[in-house]
């Protein structure tokens, strides 16, 4: 075993440290610590001169452990670790001691005690460094192929983008045709372009691209593996198909609530949903306004927003429905300018520039708006068919009775019914609402906590076409990162299990937030005597998925789990040397 | 083969995100930021809705990751002054303004700022406090280097007089460099990303609300700085007139927004950030009640409706539908008096409160027009970057090879900006793949 | 020894993402504090094993702090939840074996709460000074092993 040779480099940081801490005394002190063979001070360790001195010191003194006592590791640790590597030392044999933010800057009034504290901190650092082991960062390859689940606008956009970047894209669609909901929609707001034109062109591109492999109709049956190496089984008409991918994008969309029992839906034939209205409005264009089957022109239509949404049972706002109401209200007015068209709402969600402009257009087109309250929802009344809508107009403070030819119900997007299945297959979570739950609501909107799996479009949350496409691009970017790199590396602060001590209790498995641990049959090795021939299950950590939190280590009842760079021994040794006993 | 480098203009959260994504994909990125530090508006926020995450806590690691990535070349205190070429082969000229501080030598210790005698209103604290002529914009600034604000530096304004130079005297590493010149950096890139963010509208224009006259009428961004631990009051909510904590706070929505007299559009994020600020007011003082005066309560994102519900039931927040007509002042105690119509009750009322927060419209950044002219991209009538095919290609501008994300493109919150930014990265990657 | 002369030995486990950063901010802001504590960095408060606390206090350390992210903000999703539960239980146990539970303080400090870090540390050092040196459970010349 080679002798431990620690080098300690103490930084003055100008007078930031040196003006409070007696750096020369600290260097003297460090020199005398166990295993320390070299100590020096630098004016600015992070400067060119400081780094160069560090590297020289490593080489000249044959150091095999390095400590820099300076500012905070949160800024400069990579800098010094790189310097160590350049000097031929494994970067995990480096320890950073913070004697600026955590010492000189907060103890300015007591220089003597600050100096003593700096000595203690360095003593702790030396104790830990003595126990550091060289580590190799594990590199795991990434297959340059993606699985996109869902062939709607989001899924196809993602598949096309990645295909164009040069990756293979397996596009799995459970229905017999691509396009998701858009083939059922008439026009899109706020541009009023035809949905068919947009979606048909995307479908053509997706079908034509040589790197997109279409599985349709097909469903994902099984997924195993982890980022870079997912093994996927898909059930298609002809049987099962398996293939391997590096990344997965969930673009399975959402469903629309059927508002059975609400506002006369199901009871009155002229109470329809927005989707049913879309079908009626779609080309071939009808020269006369919507035909309700009874042959009458709709002289009066009432749209009711927030049907089954923003209620205690389903508190969320479905984001896209207000605009849909406006779009179809404008269309009805266009077809029949004399018609009365009302939109009954509880807040009009026309956020941003284009949507607010669209709202003004609707007002200019003569669409009338009426604000109702959740406490007094509209009543649809009639005999055999809806004849009128009675509603308390909160802004006028009076009840209104609106005669109707048709009532259109604006119901929310709801999570797709197979979300739960997919969630289990991919080991990704669902939010309370039932939509998929991303890694971080603010800063990681299209990623899952599980590496290599991403989400976009209405599978994640109600979104309009432009938002779904932007998110699909975002998910593609995230998937492209590991695929372009060809490999993923894990910082070597991962957990590992010592099989001899492991009882196979599985506590670590359930503790891990990233599902990075599984139980496997111990591979030979020395198990407890008397049990030769007995196969036991022990914990195995997938270092690619492990994020180095250390939760499992603290949870392990048999002390079989440890964390590289933060072992129990290292920490307890640090405490030992300052415990004063 | 197209040039594989990318120029990103603006280093707020959107600019930072697209830079990180592109860098991780292997593209060299030039990130140009007009101010001395990256971080943008998010660095000025205390917490972010609907999780009430500490804004700088989640932003700072991204800032460090971005600046530290080997593929990202940061050009702070710089502006784009010229662009020519076409998609795949663009040439940009970037003016790097002189900080008069040697970036290699400066360790960001802050001694210079502590000793500089000259005070300047602090933009970062929205004028609520002063900084010095030499300064580090905020504690977590990246790069953490000092900058001398030349127009306010007494020495630089008249070198012949040779006054002050205190910073130079106290700088240990000798990082003050009076001879530093502005320099032009010529860049060759394949694509450009505009991510220039927003400025708050000057709510003083709405004289009826008394901003600038009534001491206890402040703006939303000023409120953020008051409740921020790194702000002028170390995070204590104290009203400007007498430093007392307000017992009631009124938030006025749509100030200068959704108004044909000012900005007809909706700024998208104010209903939510007012709710957040009201929640924070109650967290600071459980006796504090808040009133949010709104027109339509826009809470369309994930868990936003639940956030509003909690504000109502747990944090003493009351929502009143009505846009106040005028704000007066009680001369005896400095309390603002809000006069409004409660439209759902058809009643005219007046409410005396401790503090009024104006949630004013948010506009594309000053300077957006200049950038747009240089790049040749179309803006809409409000100055937002136009996406000609907004539905099909939401992040493409009117110029091939130039993309836009974040608030400069359309009013949106942080998650949407971040998603759009990553979206731009994918579009750039697709374009530069040349298919 | 008088309270003034007693310099307690205190260890503060801080998680990399929140409390360590909060401690850094306290430093950047030059917030002054007593010198009687040393920070040990861990990646997550969930790494702090309850037996560390027992061994630490039984080795002559007078006080231990475990500082993590605020509930809901854990970088590793819910590590701080685990820490909260573990240490709530541990505090009960400490009292049971005769160690004053106030020698363990578990708290949440975000990366922007430099002032809170200063307040907590100052308060804790004071409290440990009041309690005096740890006498309970101390075994002379005991080296800390993992067994």
């Amino acid at each position: 075993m080679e002798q431990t040779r620690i080098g300690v480099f103490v930084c003055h940081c100008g007078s930031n440290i040196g003006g409070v801490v007696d750096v020369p005394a600290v260097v003297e002190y460090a020199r005398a610590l166990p295993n320390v063979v070299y100590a020096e001070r630098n004016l600015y360790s992070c400067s060119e001169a400081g780094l160069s001195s560090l590297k020289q010191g490593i080489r000249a003194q044959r150091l095999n452990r390095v400590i820099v006592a300076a500012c905070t590791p949160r800024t400069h640790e990579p800098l010094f670790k790189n310097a160590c590597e350049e000097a031929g030392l494994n970067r995990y044999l480096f320890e950073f001691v913070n004697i600026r933010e955590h010492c000189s800057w907060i103890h300015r009034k007591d220089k003597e005690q600050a100096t003593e504290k700096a000595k203690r901190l360095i003593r702790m650092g030396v104790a830990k460094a003595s126990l550091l082991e060289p580590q190799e960062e594990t590199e795991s390859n990434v297959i340059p192929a993606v699985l996109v689940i869902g062939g709607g606008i989001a899924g196809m956009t993602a598949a096309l983008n990645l295909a164009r970047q040069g990756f293979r894209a397996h596009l799995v669609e459970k229905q017999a045709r691509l396009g998701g909901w858009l083939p059922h929609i008439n026009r899109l707001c706020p541009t009023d372009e035809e949905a068919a034109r947009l979606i048909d062109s995307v479908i053509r591109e997706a079908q034509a691209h040589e790197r997109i492999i279409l599985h349709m109709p097909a469903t994902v049956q099984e997924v195993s593996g982890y980022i870079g190496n997912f093994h996927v089984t898909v059930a298609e008409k002809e049987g099962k198909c398996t293939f391997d991918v590096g990344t997965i994008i969930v673009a399975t969309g959402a469903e629309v609530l059927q508002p059975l029992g609400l506002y006369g839906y199901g009871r009155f034939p002229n109470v329809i949903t927005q989707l049913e209205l879309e079908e009626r409005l779609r080309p071939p264009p009808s020269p006369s306004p919507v035909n309700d089957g009874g042959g009458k022109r709709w002289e009066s239509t009432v749209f009711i927003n927030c049907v089954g949404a923003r209620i205690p049972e389903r508190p969320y706002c479905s984001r896209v429905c207000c605009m849909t109401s406006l779009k179809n209200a404008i269309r009805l007015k266009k077809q029949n300018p004399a018609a009365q068209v009302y939109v009954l709402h509880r807040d009009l969600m026309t956020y941003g520039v284009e949507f607010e402009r669209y709202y003004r257009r609707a007002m200019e087109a003569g669409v009338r708006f009426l604000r109702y309250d959740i406490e007094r929802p509209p009543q649809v009344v009639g005999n055999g068919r809806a004849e009128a809508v009675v509603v308390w107009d909160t802004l006028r403070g009076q009840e209104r009775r609106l005669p109707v030819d048709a009532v259109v119900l604006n119901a929310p997007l709801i999570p797709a019914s197979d979300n739960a299945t997919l969630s289990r297959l991919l080991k990704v979570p669902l939010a309370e609402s039932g939509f998929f739950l991303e890694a971080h609501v603010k800063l990681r909107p299209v990623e899952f906590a599980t590496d290599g799996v991403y989400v976009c479009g209405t599978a994640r949350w109600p979104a309009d076409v432009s938002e779904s496409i932007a998110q699909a691009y975002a998910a593609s970017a995230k998937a492209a990162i590991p695929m372009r790199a060809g490999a993923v590396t894990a910082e070597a602060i991962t957990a590992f299990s010592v099989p001899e001590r492991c009882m196979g209790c599985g506590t670590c498995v359930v503790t891990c937030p990233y599902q990075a641990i599984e139980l496997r049959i111990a591979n030979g090795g020395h198990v407890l005597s008397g049990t030769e021939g007995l196969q036991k299950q022990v914990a195995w950590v997938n270092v690619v998925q492990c994020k180095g939190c250390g939760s499992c280590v603290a949870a392990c009842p048999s002390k079989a789990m440890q964390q590289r760079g933060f072992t129990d021994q290292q920490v307890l040794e640090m405490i030992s040397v300052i415990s004063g006993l | 083969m197209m040039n594989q480098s990318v120029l990103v203009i603006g280093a707020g959260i959107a600019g930072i995100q697209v830079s990180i994504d592109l860098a991780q994909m292997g593209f060299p990125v030039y990130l140009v930021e007009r101010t001395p530090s990256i971080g943008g508006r998010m660095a000025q926020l205390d917490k972010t809705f609907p999780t009430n995450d500490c804004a700088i806590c989640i932003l700072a690691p991204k800032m460090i990751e971005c600046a530290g990535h080997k593929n990202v070349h940061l050009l702070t205190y710089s502006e784009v002054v010229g662009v020519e070429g076409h998609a795949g082969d663009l040439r940009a000229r970037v003016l790097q303004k002189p900080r008069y501080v040697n970036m290699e030598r400066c360790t960001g210790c802050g001694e210079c700022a502590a000793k500089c005698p000259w005070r300047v209103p602090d933009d970062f604290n929205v004028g609520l406090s002063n900084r010095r002529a030499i300064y580090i914009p905020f504690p977590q600034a990246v790069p953490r280097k000092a900058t001398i604000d030349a127009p306010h530096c007494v020495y630089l304004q008249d070198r012949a007089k040779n006054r002050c130079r205190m910073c130079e005297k106290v700088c240990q590493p000798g990082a003050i460099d009076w001879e530093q010149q502005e320099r032009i950096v010529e860049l060759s890139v394949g694509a450009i990303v505009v991510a220039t963010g927003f400025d708050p509208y000057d709510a003083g224009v709405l004289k009826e609300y008394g901003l600038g006259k009534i001491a206890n009428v402040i703006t939303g961004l000023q409120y953020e700085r008051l409740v921020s631990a790194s702000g002028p009051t170390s995070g204590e909510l104290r009203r400007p007139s007498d430093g007392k904590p307000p017992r009631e706070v009124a938030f006025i929505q749509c100030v200068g927004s959704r108004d044909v007299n000012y900005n007809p559009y909706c700024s998208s994020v104010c209903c939510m950030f007012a709710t957040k600020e009201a929640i924070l007011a109650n967290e600071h003082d459980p006796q504090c009640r808040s009133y949010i005066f709104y027109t339509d309560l826009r809470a369309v994102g994930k868990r936003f409706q639940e956030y509003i519900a909690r504000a109502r039931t747990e944090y003493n927040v009351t929502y009143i539908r009505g846009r106040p007509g005028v704000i007066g002042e009680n001369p005896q105690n400095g309390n603002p008096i809000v006069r409004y119509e409660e439209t759902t009750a058809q009643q005219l009322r007046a409410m005396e409160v401790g503090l009024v927060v104006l949630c004013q419209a948010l506009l594309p950044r000053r300077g957006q027009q200049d950038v747009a002219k240089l790049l040749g991209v179309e803006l809409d009538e409000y100055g937002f970057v136009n996406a000609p095919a907004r539905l099909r290609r939401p992040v493409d501008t009117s110029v091939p090879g130039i993309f836009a994300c974040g608030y400069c493109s359309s009013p949106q919150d942080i998650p949407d900006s971040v998603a759009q930014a990553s979206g731009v990265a994918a579009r750039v990657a697709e374009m530069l793949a040349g298919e | 020894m008088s309270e003034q002369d007693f310099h307690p030995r205190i260890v503060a486990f801080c998680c990399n993402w929140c409390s360590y950063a909060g401690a850094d901010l306290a430093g950047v802001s030059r917030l002054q504090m007593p010198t009687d504590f040393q920070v040990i960095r861990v990646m997550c408060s969930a790494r702090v094993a309850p037996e560390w606390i027992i061994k630490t206090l039984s080795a002559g350390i007078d006080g231990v702090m475990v500082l993590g992210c605020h509930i809901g903000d854990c970088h590793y999703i819910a590590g701080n939840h685990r820490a909260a539960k573990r240490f709530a239980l541990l505090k009960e146990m400490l009292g049971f074996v005769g160690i004053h539970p106030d020698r363990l303080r578990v708290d949440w400090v975000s990366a922007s709460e430099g002032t809170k870090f200063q307040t907590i540390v100052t308060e804790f050092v004071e409290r440990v000074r009041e309690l005096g040196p740890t006498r309970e459970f101390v075994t002379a010349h005991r080296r800390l092993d993992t067994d």
Side-chain angles (χ1 to χ4, degrees), chain A residues 28-41:
Chain A
E28 270 309 302
Y29 176 85
R31 243 179 225 133
L33 289 171
N35 295 324
V36 174
V37 302
Y38 180 72
E40 78 173 35
R41 55 199 180 91

Side-chain angles (χ1 to χ4, degrees), chain B residues 57-87:
Chain B
C57 306
I58 56 178
L59 178 62
K62 286 232 172 191
M63 287 164 62
I64 293 176
E65 189 189 352
C66 179
H69 201 288
K70 63 181 188 333
N71 285 338
V72 175
H73 309 277
L74 214 50
L75 288 156
T76 53
Y77 214 46
S78 304
E79 294 183 35
V80 175
V81 294
V83 174
E84 18 172 71
H86 54 268

Side-chain angles (χ1 to χ4, degrees), chain B residues 53-54 56-57 109 139 144 229, chain C residues 17 25 28 30 72-73 110-112:
Chain B
D53 273 314
C54 153
I56 191 64
C57 306
C109 70
R144 196 179 149 68
Chain C
W17 305 96
L25 183 58
V28 164
R30 316 294 201 272
D73 289 352
S110 84
S112 72

Side-chain angles (χ1 to χ4, degrees), chain B residues 112-288:
Chain B
C112 50
K115 298 292 193 287
C116 172
W118 307 103
R119 284 167 170 68
V120 180
D122 189 351
D123 263 341
F124 191 76
N125 281 336
V126 204
L128 289 173
S129 67
N130 291 325
R131 57 161 169 86
R132 305 306 164 90
I134 186 170
Y135 68 110
I136 294 176
F138 52 98
Q140 303 88 347
V142 172
R144 196 179 149 68
K145 308 281 175 188
T147 300
I148 297 182
D149 183 5
H152 293 104
C153 170
V154 132
Y155 171 65
L156 286 172
Q157 283 310 292
D158 191 346
R159 292 193 194 224
K161 290 222 173 90
N162 202 24
R163 290 169 65 192
C164 191
R165 298 173 69 164
M166 180 60 79
C167 51
E168 189 182 11
K169 296 187 183 106
V170 301
C171 178
Q172 297 251 336
I176 305 295
D177 178 5
W178 301 116
E179 307 317 311
Q180 201 174 77
Q181 301 285 320
E182 68 179 33
R183 62 180 193 124
I184 298 282
V185 179
E186 307 267 0
L187 300 172
S188 286
V189 296
I192 298 179
V193 180
V194 181
T196 46
F198 68 86
D199 274 338
Y201 183 63
D202 176 14
V205 161
L206 286 90
K207 304 246 182 298
E208 63 271 29
Y209 287 156
L211 182 70
K213 295 226 194 58
I214 302 173
N216 295 319
V217 171
I218 62 174
T219 65
L221 206 53
Q222 287 178 319
Y223 182 94
E224 290 286 334
R225 296 313 303 148
L226 284 179
V227 295
S228 280
S230 61
T233 57
S234 301
E236 286 185 33
L237 182 56
R238 292 201 236 114
R239 41 186 236 159
S241 69
D242 52 15
K244 295 210 186 91
R247 271 300 157 84
E248 307 82 25
V249 184
F251 293 86
I252 319 293
Q253 304 309 106
C254 309
V255 173
S257 280
R258 302 191 68 194
D259 194 328
V260 293
N261 299 308
Y262 305 104
N263 307 289
Y265 62 86
C266 163
S267 300
S268 278
V269 298
C270 333
C271 287
M272 287 304 291
F273 85 60
T275 299
K276 170 195 67 176
E277 293 183 348
I279 289 178
L280 291 180
N282 188 265
E283 278 185 352
H284 282 246
D285 173 9
Q287 301 298 315
C288 184

